[in-house]
Amino acid sequence: GSYLHHHSITIAKVVTFYSGIVVPFYAVIDNNHKVDRVSVFTAAVFRKMSDEQKEAYLAAVNNGRDLSLWRGVAGSGKSYAMGVARTAYEKSGYNVIGLAPTNTVARDMAKDGFKEARTLHSFLYKLKKGSEVINHDSVIFVDEAGMIDNDRMQGLLEHAVKAGAKVVLVGDDRQLASIERGGLFGEMVVKHGASELRQVRRQNEDWAKQASLDFAEGRFEKAIKPYEDHGHIHWANNIQGAKTLLVEKWGRDADEKTEKTRFVYAQTNKDVNELNARLRQVRQRRGELGQAHSFKTKRGVIELSRNDRIQFYDTDKPKGIYNGNAGTVERIDGSKISARLDAGRLVVFDSREFQGFGHGYAGTVYRGQGKTQLQTYYLHTPIADSRTSYVAMTRHKQAMTLFVGRETTPDTKHLARQMSRTNDRGSSLQYITKKEHEHLQKQSRKTKQTSREKLNADLKTFDKAFDKAKSKMSPKVRIQYEQEKLRRSLKSLGRADLNKQLARVKPPTAKFTKGAQKSVDQHKRKSLGDKAKGLTK
């Protein structure tokens, strides 16, 4: 009872307008996705959860709402709390489904106990084709929801509305966002609130836990200081020197604890490729690798040996290979490579048919989202921003070492400033895409064309009526009639300078002769023609 949380909402459709773009949103209605009381408190009492984990857990399983939002900092135990909630729902007879933006996160969900775990993209595809069905007994957990783009998030919630399914969105909108247009998760958190998980549990040391929270909440200078104080920031004259320090440190650590899993993060593929090659050379010099074989990959030709670390950039489901998997090469037989994944599975593929692989010692920060690793190394460059820095500095459990070049980053103040840089300007819901821009332009052209056609029709009608009645009008009345008719025709188009233009058509003060009448007629037609032409510009 004391942990019941109000930050859960149902998936009833509402429409919110962002800068001319209609975006689906979701508000509150009860739909009774409750777990029986025994399952709720058995799971909560007999597992070790913090108070905020219990609060988030109960907000999902014990309030009968259709949509629950969990927002947690990196390493706050979101996955563990999800596992508790999943168990409670399964024991109550619900069909629980785990979804994620990437194969890596989906595989981790399966490893954590989700019987059904896949990418949101493949799930929506099957729903569309009819090979997947959800209903009122379906409960859907979405991990790393901050990485979900708007179209897929909208698709999921719309399907859930129709089926009456429960959805639990779990993520951190301060970490890496989707490559496509995103921001819906963050907007829902702002609009409706969320169960907050702020107690960091991933790191071993208390100072590192506090630093992770500081990174999450934007206090970069404060977060960096303990890493500097504990000797975890290594400075070189330039970035190339920082790479050398990183490789040397990695080699020393490998000498001390060869069994420990370690990974290197960098910003660009160029730096990743260079670091992979140099780290592999360290192992070659030690004689830890077998005979080298050359392979053509999607990122160029590489040498690969038995005992090499390997990672995958593409997916081949029949072979059990998913983008983001990593492992160790066990055997090379011609073009065939056998690798033992870190999850324990053995995969075998032909390099002539599948080329989405490479060395697995280093990777971009994007590949680290959602991962926990024992020891990490991070090469900082000035192109870093708040999202990549936050993710890179919070992946480790035991140790993280940062490498910096003073040529571009002279001191910790500059380091904090570069790390805290914001490259995005908020949710992309506030901005239109190229496709939407083209649609609006098309609609604008259509509206203008309709307006021009209506005006031309009005002008023709006016001309006929004027020609028929002008013989009975005084010159002054004719001009006034012309002005009023034109004013009514153009009023809906919002022409601010209308009165100024009409002022040029002055009522006559002298008695009209035949020549004067002809001049007025020409003046009138020219004036109307100018107004019509102006609309086509």
Side-chain angles (χ1 to χ4, degrees):
S2 62
Y3 290 116
L4 284 179
H5 203 286
H6 69 283
H7 291 315
S8 296
I9 56 179
T10 33
I11 318 174
K13 199 169 187 182
V14 177
V15 173
T16 302
F17 202 78
Y18 289 91
S19 298
I21 304 303
V22 177
V23 179
F25 226 80
Y26 301 87
V28 180
I29 302 174
D30 287 344
N31 206 13
N32 300 318
H33 281 95
K34 290 185 178 180
V35 172
D36 69 83
R37 195 169 183 82
V38 174
S39 295
V40 168
F41 292 104
T42 298
V45 170
F46 289 99
R47 296 200 184 199
K48 297 179 180 179
M49 289 199 294
S50 65
D51 286 351
E52 62 183 15
Q53 283 177 316
K54 290 177 182 177
E55 185 177 355
Y57 161 70
L58 291 174
V61 304
N62 201 42
N63 65 359
R65 300 290 177 84
D66 277 353
L67 182 59
S68 296
L69 305 175
W70 295 3
R71 183 183 190 238
V73 302
S76 58
K78 297 186 293 292
S79 298
Y80 183 82
M82 261 200 303
V84 179
R86 171 189 54 77
T87 301
Y89 271 117
E90 287 175 344
K91 286 185 177 180
S92 295
Y94 288 95
N95 176 36
V96 182
I97 302 167
L99 300 178
T102 66
N103 282 300
T104 300
V105 179
R107 293 303 97 198
D108 287 342
M109 294 180 80
K111 188 168 60 176
D112 290 340
F114 279 88
K115 296 174 183 176
E116 292 187 58
R118 69 199 77 169
T119 64
L120 176 57
H121 179 74
S122 64
F123 181 72
L124 291 176
Y125 177 80
K126 289 184 177 181
L127 283 177
K128 184 178 180 180
K129 295 295 183 182
S131 58
E132 182 79 39
V133 178
I134 57 175
N135 53 39
H136 184 273
D137 293 328
S138 301
V139 176
I140 302 169
F141 286 83
V142 183
D143 198 7
E144 298 297 343
M147 294 181 72
I148 303 293
D149 65 88
N150 293 344
D151 287 343
R152 291 191 178 96
M153 182 72 82
Q154 173 184 338
L156 171 66
L157 296 179
E158 287 180 343
H159 280 293
V161 168
K162 294 176 183 177
K166 166 89 177 187
V167 177
V168 182
L169 300 178
V170 183
D172 184 358
D173 54 307
R174 295 158 295 198
Q175 295 188 46
L176 298 175
S178 61
I179 296 175
E180 294 89 358
R181 191 171 182 233
L184 190 52
F185 174 73
E187 292 291 339
M188 283 191 284
V189 169
V190 171
K191 185 175 180 67
H192 299 291
S195 297
E196 294 280 351
L197 297 168
R198 298 179 65 254
Q199 183 179 341
V200 179
R201 304 161 71 89
R202 177 177 291 160
Q203 284 78 38
N204 292 339
E205 300 90 350
D206 289 339
W207 65 264
K209 292 177 181 179
Q210 180 59 47
S212 292
L213 181 60
D214 290 332
F215 278 121
E217 298 183 345
R219 298 183 292 269
F220 282 85
E221 191 167 354
K222 181 180 177 182
I224 290 168
K225 189 177 186 306
Y227 281 95
E228 177 84 329
D229 293 343
H230 286 83
H232 288 275
I233 302 181
H234 293 203
W235 299 85
N237 290 332
N238 51 43
I239 293 176
Q240 204 59 33
K243 293 177 185 177
T244 299
L245 291 180
L246 188 156
V247 173
E248 292 173 352
K249 169 67 174 169
W250 185 90
R252 291 194 301 272
D253 291 344
D255 284 338
E256 296 172 6
K257 296 180 180 179
T258 55
E259 77 286 353
K260 184 183 292 186
T261 302
R262 50 183 58 82
F263 198 76
V264 175
Y265 288 108
Q267 294 285 339
T268 66
N269 285 322
K270 181 179 179 181
D271 287 337
V272 165
N273 292 340
E274 180 182 345
L275 288 168
N276 266 319
R278 295 180 65 175
L279 295 170
R280 184 176 182 275
Q281 288 173 359
V282 173
R283 299 196 66 199
Q284 275 184 315
R285 288 195 295 268
R286 293 175 176 169
E288 297 173 358
L289 304 179
Q291 181 182 352
H293 302 262
S294 292
F295 294 97
K296 183 180 179 181
T297 75
K298 65 181 296 183
R299 298 190 178 186
V301 177
I302 65 169
E303 286 193 341
L304 207 61
S305 307
R306 184 175 57 84
N307 293 333
D308 246 326
R309 290 291 294 170
I310 187 173
Q311 61 183 322
F312 296 95
Y313 304 114
D314 284 335
T315 296
D316 189 333
K317 290 185 179 180
K319 293 182 173 60
I321 298 173
Y322 294 88
N323 186 355
N325 284 159
T328 302
V329 176
E330 288 194 349
R331 183 178 179 182
I332 297 176
D333 185 8
S335 61
K336 290 187 177 181
I337 301 172
S338 302
R340 180 73 60 181
L341 300 181
D342 292 341
R345 292 185 296 109
L346 181 68
V347 296
V348 181
F349 64 97
D350 192 323
S351 61
R352 294 173 299 185
E353 300 171 355
F354 180 83
Q355 298 181 338
F357 64 96
H359 294 133
Y361 302 99
T364 60
V365 177
Y366 190 84
R367 299 183 74 78
Q369 179 101 350
K371 289 185 177 179
T372 298
Q373 290 149 328
L374 289 180
Q375 186 169 2
T376 61
Y377 309 78
Y378 175 41
L379 176 69
H380 170 81
T381 53
I383 65 171
D385 61 28
S386 61
R387 293 180 183 272
T388 55
S389 299
Y390 169 32
V391 172
M393 298 294 290
T394 56
R395 298 304 93 196
H396 64 289
K397 188 175 181 65
Q398 294 184 0
M400 196 291 307
T401 312
L402 177 64
F403 298 85
V404 190
R406 291 190 184 276
E407 184 177 54
T408 53
T409 311
D411 51 40
T412 54
K413 285 190 177 295
H414 283 82
L415 177 61
R417 192 177 303 125
Q418 291 171 3
M419 279 188 160
S420 62
R421 183 183 296 117
T422 303
N423 285 334
D424 57 281
R425 290 178 287 180
S427 167
S428 64
L429 290 172
Q430 301 171 25
Y431 307 98
I432 61 174
T433 63
K434 180 180 179 182
K435 184 177 180 180
E436 290 165 339
H437 177 62
E438 291 172 349
H439 174 72
L440 290 175
Q441 282 187 321
K442 184 177 179 181
Q443 290 295 103
S444 178
R445 287 194 296 270
K446 186 176 179 181
T447 300
K448 285 181 179 180
Q449 179 65 27
T450 302
S451 298
R452 283 197 298 269
E453 291 172 355
K454 186 177 185 303
L455 175 61
N456 289 334
D458 287 344
L459 290 175
K460 288 179 181 179
T461 301
F462 167 74
D463 282 341
K464 290 180 180 179
F466 185 85
D467 289 341
K468 186 177 180 179
K470 68 180 180 180
S471 61
K472 301 178 182 180
M473 297 179 183
S474 68
K476 184 176 181 179
V477 172
R478 292 176 197 169
I479 297 301
Q480 290 175 339
Y481 180 78
E482 174 187 320
Q483 289 177 331
E484 180 60 26
K485 185 68 175 181
L486 183 59
R487 183 180 286 107
R488 288 198 302 268
S489 298
L490 297 180
K491 186 177 180 180
S492 61
L493 300 178
R495 298 299 300 268
D497 60 341
L498 177 61
N499 290 330
K500 182 178 178 181
Q501 293 173 350
L502 290 174
R504 297 174 184 173
V505 185
K506 301 287 186 181
T509 55
K511 188 176 180 180
F512 271 42
T513 62
K514 283 188 177 181
Q517 179 68 57
K518 182 177 180 182
S519 175
V520 169
D521 289 347
Q522 290 176 343
H523 189 180
K524 180 261 300 184
R525 292 185 180 278
K526 183 176 184 301
S527 178
L528 292 175
D530 288 344
K531 307 306 180 294
K533 289 179 181 178
L535 295 174
T536 64
K537 291 183 180 180

